[in-house]
Amino acid sequence: MANMSNAINMSFRVDKNLKAQADELFKNLGMNTSVALNMFLTQSVREQALPFTPNMISPEPSNELKEALQELDDIEKGKIKVKGYHNINTFIDDMLK
């Protein structure tokens, strides 16, 4: 990674919704978008390639994922009743029973 004396500013256009989603993702991963883009560029240079395989095929979600998403949807719609917890200790106590 460049030190501050070697750093330059880059600017490019990106859809504002995509930027907001990426910012949130990287925040949840403990970094900001600048750090994530530096990681991407560093890995690209290291591998002399994109650090992922671009393709035109959208991967089909697994049946397990589809079932989990349906279960979540059913929970949210109240079709499946689940117990809620207001603190982690109560949850842990129930899990250890």
Side-chain angles (χ1 to χ4, degrees):
M1 181 158 334
N3 63 34
M4 291 309 287
S5 65
N6 269 346
I8 64 163
N9 287 326
M10 293 176 57
S11 66
F12 53 94
R13 294 189 181 278
V14 64
D15 178 83
K16 68 180 177 181
N17 293 326
L18 177 60
K19 169 80 165 67
Q21 290 174 5
D23 287 343
E24 183 66 21
L25 169 65
F26 300 138
K27 177 183 173 188
N28 291 336
L29 292 171
M31 66 185 81
N32 62 34
T33 302
S34 179
V35 170
L37 291 172
N38 272 290
M39 289 172 64
F40 169 79
L41 294 172
T42 300
Q43 192 67 18
S44 296
V45 169
R46 179 180 294 129
E47 294 182 16
Q48 290 296 291
L50 291 172
F52 56 85
T53 305
N55 61 58
M56 298 298 289
I57 302 169
S58 293
E60 178 70 19
S62 69
N63 287 335
E64 183 178 31
L65 177 58
K66 288 178 186 177
E67 289 170 11
L69 291 171
Q70 182 60 55
E71 182 178 4
L72 176 61
D73 189 54
D74 290 345
I75 290 169
E76 288 177 341
K77 290 179 179 175
K79 294 179 182 177
I80 298 174
K81 300 293 181 201
V82 295
K83 181 176 181 179
Y85 296 92
H86 295 288
N87 70 60
I88 190 69
N89 293 328
T90 306
F91 171 74
I92 291 171
D93 290 345
D94 277 0
M95 294 306 295
L96 294 176
K97 288 180 184 176

